[in-house]
């Protein structure tokens, strides 16, 4: 009975969404040194990008939950993943640190925030029994994304620069997010 429950597809989707969004946010450290060098800024300038991304994610979550209650989880989550991809693409093309703030800081954070709460709420709605297990599996996408995406970023950075890596990750975020 546990295996045949249709809610497991929702769990898989939520897992992919949070893996993608939080993987993007938490992989930032892999790029910080190169971005600082390219834009002649210090550690404070690049750490603000990460802080902005995380803060905007959780701030927007307060809006995305009620929005998902009205519209359903699919639309906010889809828009969120599109924003994550767009944020990476904007950052890849950035000509200034302000554009990195807008792309990586705001768009990725807002996008992840728009996907996170609706996805997790959708998991909650699918289960009465095994709700904790389902939620735990879905939320573990955060840890998996945090564990896998930064090393993937390092691997790409060994071959191409941060801009190309952002562009590749932007396309991947849209594809994985759409699958989720």
């Amino acid at each position: 009975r546990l295996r045949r429950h249709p809610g497991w597809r929702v769990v898989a989707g939520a897992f992919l969404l949070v893996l993608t969004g939080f993987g993007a946010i938490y992989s930032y450290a892999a790029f910080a040194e190169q971005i600082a060098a390219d834009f002649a800024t210090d550690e404070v300038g690049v750490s603000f990008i990460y802080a902005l991304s995380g803060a905007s994610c959780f701030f927007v979550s307060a809006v995305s939950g009620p929005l998902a209650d009205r519209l359903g989880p699919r639309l906010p989550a889809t828009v969120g993943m599109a924003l994550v991809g767009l944020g990476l693409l904007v950052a890849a093309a950035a000509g200034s640190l302000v554009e990195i703030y807008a792309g990586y800081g705001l768009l990725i954070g807002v996008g992840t925030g728009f996907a996170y709460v609706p996805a997790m709420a959708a998991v909650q709605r699918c289960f009465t029994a095994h709700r904790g297990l389902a939620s735990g599996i879905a939320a573990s996408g955060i840890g998996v994304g945090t564990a896998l995406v930064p090393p993937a970023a390092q691997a790409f950075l060994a071959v191409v620069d941060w801009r190309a890596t952002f562009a590749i990750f932007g396309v991947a975020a849209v594809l994985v997010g759409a699958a989720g």
Side-chain angles (χ1 to χ4, degrees), residues 8 11-12 14-16 18 120 123 131-142 144:
W8 292 114
V11 171
F15 177 91
L16 289 174
V18 299
M120 296 306 293
V123 169
R131 184 178 286 159
L133 174 64
S135 296
I137 292 170
S140 72
I142 297 168
V144 172

Side-chain angles (χ1 to χ4, degrees), residues 50-144:
Y50 173 75
L52 186 59
S53 187
S56 62
C57 170
F58 293 112
F59 180 74
V60 167
S61 292
V63 174
S64 66
L67 189 62
D69 287 341
R70 299 183 109 208
L71 303 174
R74 190 169 293 206
L75 180 61
T78 301
V79 168
M81 287 295 101
L83 289 174
V84 170
L86 179 63
L88 284 159
L89 293 173
V90 165
S96 70
L97 195 57
V98 171
E99 291 171 6
I100 297 282
Y101 292 154
Y104 208 104
L106 286 176
L107 287 174
I108 290 175
V110 168
T112 301
F114 262 96
Y116 173 61
V117 171
M120 296 306 293
V123 169
Q124 296 294 312
R125 288 186 188 120
C126 288
F127 291 87
T128 51
H130 309 294
R131 184 178 286 159
L133 174 64
S135 296
I137 292 170
S140 72
I142 297 168
V144 172

Side-chain angles (χ1 to χ4, degrees), residues 12-54:
F15 177 91
L16 289 174
L17 291 173
V18 299
L19 179 150
T20 302
F22 286 100
I25 289 173
Y26 292 130
S27 68
Y28 180 73
F31 307 102
E33 191 175 302
Q34 289 182 10
I35 291 171
D38 284 1
F39 291 105
T41 190
D42 58 8
E43 292 175 2
V44 173
V46 293
S47 66
F48 182 70
I49 299 164
Y50 173 75
L52 186 59
S53 187

